[in-house]
Amino acid sequence: MLQIHDLSFVPFITSTEIEEAIAKVAQQINKDYTHKTPLFLGVLNGAYAFTAALTKKITGNCEVEFTKLKSYAGTTSTGNIQNLIGVGNLKGKDVIVVEDIVDTGNTISEIVKILEAEEVASYRIATLCYKPEAYKKSYKIDYIGLEIPNKFIVGYGLDYDGLGRNLPEIYQLK
């Protein structure tokens, strides 16, 4: 068991399972982007670990950028998205949005608005963890590492009020 702030967490996804999920996503992307140079757009802070691990497994050329959006306070989504760090010039690029987790889809919705305004050539969405029970939007999630139940998790980039991102495995709320 793990204690972070006032909450207890139990082991949920091992580092081996995470590595296997990332390899599966990378294999799909490598197949889909054989003759293209995708730009991976990592969503900070949570997706830093997934973005780094994923792009190391990309066999062709790629670019990496980051944006920072915030929607969580504690263990729940506020429903309001704050754009804290904008993106550079994405016009005409093939973008792969890299998320640590997709639950309600509010962050994805905001990112899609940004990508459309930037006039990207194409975009796809990759996530390490996906909560189908919580997802409320219609955007296709193209690359899913792990489908998980609608429980709060920490580790491998995911946090609870700033702590837990450094854990090499994922824990769920007890």
Side-chain angles (χ1 to χ4, degrees):
M1 192 158 63
L2 175 72
Q3 186 76 26
I4 299 178
H5 296 302
D6 58 331
L7 298 180
S8 298
F9 295 86
V10 294
F12 180 50
I13 303 170
T14 67
S15 56
T16 301
E17 291 169 312
I18 293 167
E19 289 172 23
E20 289 169 356
I22 294 168
K24 176 184 81 170
V25 169
Q27 183 179 30
Q28 292 172 310
I29 292 171
N30 283 328
K31 181 180 172 193
D32 291 346
Y33 287 83
T34 302
H35 300 292
K36 292 185 179 181
T37 302
L39 183 144
F40 289 86
L41 182 62
V43 182
L44 295 173
N45 286 338
Y48 78 92
F50 179 41
T51 303
L54 178 61
T55 55
K56 287 178 189 175
K57 295 186 180 311
I58 299 305
T59 54
N61 290 326
C62 69
E63 297 178 68
V64 180
E65 293 274 341
F66 288 93
T67 188
K68 186 169 183 176
L69 302 164
K70 183 177 181 178
S71 65
Y72 263 76
T75 60
T76 56
S77 176
T78 64
N80 298 319
I81 307 297
Q82 297 175 331
N83 190 349
L84 304 175
I85 297 175
V87 294
N89 183 10
L90 301 177
K91 186 173 183 169
K93 305 260 183 177
D94 294 305
V95 177
I96 300 173
V97 176
V98 183
E99 274 278 32
D100 53 352
I101 188 165
V102 172
D103 47 25
T104 63
N106 290 336
T107 302
I108 293 296
S109 182
E110 188 65 26
I111 290 172
V112 168
K113 288 178 196 172
I114 293 167
L115 296 176
E116 288 173 349
E118 289 287 319
E119 300 177 6
V120 299
S122 68
Y123 69 85
R124 292 192 180 176
I125 300 164
T127 187
L128 178 58
C129 296
Y130 173 62
K131 295 180 179 180
E133 297 167 36
Y135 192 58
K136 307 279 189 242
K137 304 295 180 183
S138 59
Y139 303 107
K140 181 181 179 195
I141 309 303
D142 302 279
Y143 307 106
I144 297 170
L146 301 157
E147 281 195 17
I148 62 170
N150 192 15
K151 301 223 176 187
F152 188 77
I153 58 175
V154 298
Y156 206 82
L158 297 144
D159 75 307
Y160 169 47
D161 280 345
L163 299 180
R165 292 190 195 280
N166 60 312
L167 299 168
E169 52 278 316
I170 295 175
Y171 294 77
Q172 74 178 6
L173 187 60
K174 182 175 176 189

